[in-house]
Amino acid sequence: MSLEPSSSAPAGETGAEYWAVREEAVARLEAMAAAAPVDDELSEEQFQGNSQIQEDELLALQAIYGDDMVIFDNMDGLRFFQISLHYQLQGEIQVYMNVCTNDGTTETGDEDEDEEEDGNYGLVYACSLQHLPPITLTCLLPRSYPSARAPYFVVTAKWLNEPEVSRFCSVLDGIWSELPGQEVVFRWADWLSGSSWSCIASDNQMVLGPDTSSSAGADERAIGRSLILDSAIPLMHRYSEERSQESFDQSVHECGVCLSENTGRNFIRLPCNHSFCVKCMESYCGIHVKEGSVATLACPDTSCRAALPPPVLRRLLGGEGYARWESLALRRTLDTMPDVAYCPRCNAACVAAGDDAQCPACFFTFCAQCGERRHVGDACVPTKRSSTTCWQEQQKLTRASERELWPEARRRREQRKVEELLSLREVLRSTRQCPSCRMAIAKTGGCNKMVCHNCGNFFCYRCCRAISGYKHFADGGCGLFDRVRLPGTNNDRDLDEAVEMWMRPLSYTCPACGAKRTKAGANNLLVCRTCQARYCALCRKRVWEVYRHYGPGGDCQQRR
């Protein structure tokens, strides 16, 4: 006998081998066929008729169940197949564990009278599932089926107790007894995939357990759970997630960023259930990591902003990008710790004990406040090295400029230090620090409401205070826009007033009566609303003949 599936076997079905238990089902079917009496009561003509009926039934079942049906090689000339049956759940189902033992107590030996009165005694919530593992029906058709005998069958449900699966077998026997001499495999499969649901669940809730130490009285055709509930529940949850991902990959979705449609295989589904195409997510994550704004690296949906998990970032960023993200995330976490300082020599993170810190890499001992060598007993300016005052930097510039006759190598090194200090002074002069994370931010234009790309918080660029909306500017403390000077005037006006003045439409004076009007559109031929005179908006002269004024010999164009 061979267990190699034919071409109708499902390709890539998640967890099929574990939940179907094909080898065990085959062994039990072999035992049933060996113990059955020999089919010698029917004539050869009846056997041929049964064979044709079986062939037609297999073709019909294969057309109905498709990839959920596996047809194996014949077992000693008998047809042998297996059908995986799935429940069509409406939404999620809540799974509870019954932890009661046979004596009516819980596994811990405690009893709770309040829970017993509520009818929930011994029930513990386990999880919510969108998909349940399949119930598999494995059949072996004897030569006398359907005229005289029922098919040999095994029902497998690895997530149910064997007594529950045995009740399924009893129902299948009852269906055969009601329909003797007829094809019953489809009726069996239809009942298992539909009507059996009422036997194990109600109101989208299902109770599993309790664990039984013995399967006495169970039907030999029933294969149930062989693991304890604590081990079976995680497998069920994993199967549900994999089936959900499989359904997602096969369906078509619309990207919330570029609005393109594609199959789920080209999408990334986030834990918050928002999905975006892989190209948009790779560009989105790459830009944030390149700019160092890992704090704002979240779900692109503006109403969600849930954090992206590390497995998703590893897939989108690749090895080098993910390593940079880890480094930036670690640095940002360390920056939020008040007792962490950075070594002024090698820039390694150090744990400060009060104002003193020692670098674990180069063993340099320094002051955590000013970044200089440790100075016990001497006064220290209470400021972080990252926010050193311009006065301190100016002193360093002065000391460096006094040394002009050093050797060439030392002179170049000092020149680099001078350039770094000059750059730092320029940064401190032209930037503002975020009040939340102390990140230096420069404004190139726009209003004074700023957003920090490092921590995502809003603040006022003029007073450096944390804000949440525009109320700070409405109270009159700070202006939303800086004051600007209009070209050709000496008056300072707010930006919104300047924009209003420059965007004010031009008026054109009629040369006949002096009335004014504005021009709508690109037509330069205007008609005065007062005297009905026609005049040109370009030369401001009256137009007597349109063809001559705007014709080939004219100086003006009627439209532009």
Side-chain angles (χ1 to χ4, degrees):
M1 180 191 65
S2 174
L3 285 180
E4 292 297 329
S6 66
S7 59
S8 61
E13 184 174 352
T14 306
E17 291 294 336
Y18 173 78
W19 298 108
V21 197
R22 292 172 182 170
E23 295 183 358
E24 186 176 356
V26 168
R28 297 195 183 189
L29 287 175
E30 285 182 335
M32 295 178 196
V38 181
D39 294 328
D40 55 0
E41 299 179 356
L42 301 179
S43 63
E44 187 64 27
E45 183 178 356
Q46 290 176 320
F47 284 142
Q48 292 179 0
N50 289 337
S51 178
Q52 184 61 43
I53 293 176
Q54 293 177 16
E55 185 69 24
D56 295 341
E57 186 178 18
L58 284 179
L59 291 175
L61 291 173
Q62 191 174 6
I64 294 173
Y65 294 102
D67 292 342
D68 288 330
M69 182 176 179
V70 182
I71 301 178
F72 298 101
D73 293 341
N74 291 348
M75 180 191 298
D76 299 331
L78 305 181
R79 292 178 174 85
F80 170 48
F81 59 91
Q82 186 179 77
I83 304 176
S84 297
L85 306 169
H86 302 272
Y87 289 118
Q88 301 297 327
L89 302 181
Q90 302 297 329
E92 291 187 346
I93 179 173
Q94 296 179 348
V95 180
Y96 294 86
M97 294 191 303
N98 187 356
V99 296
C100 288
T101 57
N102 294 332
D103 57 357
T105 61
T106 61
E107 294 180 356
T108 58
D110 300 330
E111 295 186 1
D112 194 335
E113 296 180 357
D114 295 336
E115 291 185 357
E116 186 175 9
E117 293 177 357
D118 295 338
N120 296 325
Y121 177 68
L123 299 184
V124 178
Y125 173 76
C127 61
S128 296
L129 303 178
Q130 293 182 343
H131 300 273
L132 286 175
I135 295 178
T136 60
L137 175 64
T138 310
C139 294
L140 180 66
L141 304 182
R143 297 182 62 192
S144 57
Y145 169 77
S147 61
R149 289 186 184 176
Y152 307 115
F153 68 89
V154 172
V155 179
T156 304
K158 291 285 290 182
W159 44 282
L160 294 175
N161 288 337
E162 286 194 356
E164 295 177 317
V165 185
S166 298
R167 290 196 292 269
F168 293 170
C169 298
S170 301
V171 175
L172 299 188
D173 290 336
I175 294 176
W176 167 255
S177 62
E178 295 176 358
L179 302 170
Q182 300 183 24
E183 302 93 326
V184 294
V185 177
F186 173 73
R187 297 180 182 272
W188 285 354
D190 184 61
W191 185 88
L192 288 174
S193 62
S195 301
S196 64
W197 177 250
S198 60
C199 301
I200 60 176
S202 62
D203 298 332
N204 289 331
Q205 294 181 352
M206 182 175 61
V207 179
L208 298 180
D211 292 323
T212 57
S213 58
S214 175
S215 59
D219 197 314
E220 64 175 355
R221 300 169 297 180
I223 301 178
R225 186 176 67 247
S226 59
L227 300 175
I228 62 175
L229 277 176
D230 292 342
S231 301
I233 293 294
L235 293 177
M236 295 175 62
H237 189 267
R238 179 181 177 183
Y239 176 85
S240 177
E241 290 183 344
E242 292 177 347
R243 289 280 296 185
S244 299
Q245 184 64 38
E246 181 181 350
S247 301
F248 178 83
D249 293 342
Q250 295 176 355
S251 57
V252 178
H253 307 275
E254 182 184 38
C255 177
V257 177
C258 64
L259 303 181
S260 63
E261 292 186 353
N262 210 326
T263 58
R265 294 183 178 87
N266 299 312
F267 273 70
I268 291 291
R269 185 171 63 168
L270 303 179
C272 56
N273 291 328
H274 293 117
S275 57
F276 306 91
C277 68
V278 176
K279 293 183 179 180
C280 290
M281 288 299 296
E282 287 178 348
S283 302
Y284 171 73
C285 295
I287 291 174
H288 277 284
V289 171
K290 183 179 180 180
E291 294 181 352
S293 55
V294 295
T296 57
L297 187 56
C299 174
D301 192 283
T302 56
S303 62
C304 177
R305 307 304 297 172
L308 301 182
V312 175
L313 293 174
R314 184 188 297 273
R315 174 185 174 185
L316 296 172
L317 296 173
E320 184 177 352
Y322 184 74
R324 173 170 169 79
W325 174 82
E326 283 186 322
S327 176
L328 293 173
L330 176 61
R331 182 63 180 262
R332 181 174 179 272
T333 303
L334 295 177
D335 289 342
T336 59
M337 300 179 181
D339 56 346
V340 173
Y342 292 94
C343 176
R345 288 186 174 180
C346 63
N347 202 32
C350 313
V351 179
D355 292 342
D356 298 328
Q358 185 177 16
C359 178
C362 64
F363 303 102
F364 176 64
T365 304
F366 61 96
C367 176
Q369 295 295 327
C370 63
E372 299 293 342
R373 186 183 296 274
R374 182 183 179 189
H375 45 80
V376 180
D378 296 338
C380 176
V381 179
T383 178
K384 291 285 186 182
R385 182 176 178 84
S386 59
S387 58
T388 307
T389 60
C390 294
W391 177 83
Q392 291 174 319
E393 300 301 333
Q394 183 64 37
Q395 295 299 319
K396 293 182 180 181
L397 283 172
T398 303
R399 291 195 298 267
S401 61
E402 294 175 354
R403 304 164 185 173
E404 299 178 353
L405 301 177
W406 288 1
E408 184 66 21
R410 197 168 185 179
R411 188 189 65 80
R412 287 197 301 266
R413 184 169 63 251
E414 289 299 317
Q415 182 64 27
R416 286 195 298 269
K417 292 182 179 179
V418 171
E419 292 175 355
E420 291 178 359
L421 293 175
L422 288 173
S423 299
L424 179 59
R425 185 171 65 178
E426 180 63 23
V427 168
L428 293 175
R429 185 190 65 82
S430 60
T431 62
R432 300 288 190 274
Q433 287 186 337
C434 172
S436 300
C437 64
R438 313 303 298 175
M439 174 66 69
I441 297 177
K443 188 182 77 168
T444 58
C447 64
N448 289 320
K449 181 185 178 182
M450 306 294 293
V451 56
C452 177
H453 290 285
N454 184 47
C455 63
N457 293 325
F458 294 95
F459 69 96
C460 175
Y461 191 77
R462 298 191 65 179
C463 62
C464 293
R465 294 180 181 178
I467 60 177
S468 58
Y470 291 94
K471 184 179 179 182
H472 174 78
F473 305 101
D475 294 340
C478 298
L480 181 60
F481 292 97
D482 293 332
R483 303 183 71 84
V484 296
R485 176 163 295 177
L486 296 178
T489 65
N490 295 323
N491 299 326
D492 290 341
R493 299 178 181 270
D494 289 337
L495 183 60
D496 51 358
E497 185 178 351
V499 171
E500 181 183 358
M501 176 177 292
W502 284 102
M503 293 300 293
R504 189 175 300 161
L506 296 177
S507 60
Y508 299 87
T509 304
C510 176
C513 64
K516 295 182 179 181
R517 62 155 297 175
T518 58
K519 186 180 73 169
N523 191 3
N524 292 321
L525 179 62
L526 303 180
V527 179
C528 180
R529 295 187 178 91
T530 303
C531 64
Q532 302 300 317
R534 296 184 297 179
Y535 60 98
C536 179
L538 296 178
C539 61
R540 309 298 174 92
K541 295 180 180 180
R542 191 165 182 176
V543 178
W544 298 99
E545 295 182 5
V546 178
Y547 176 76
R548 291 186 178 182
H549 191 88
Y550 296 108
D555 297 331
C556 300
Q557 296 180 358
Q558 187 173 359
R559 291 181 178 270
R560 66 172 181 176

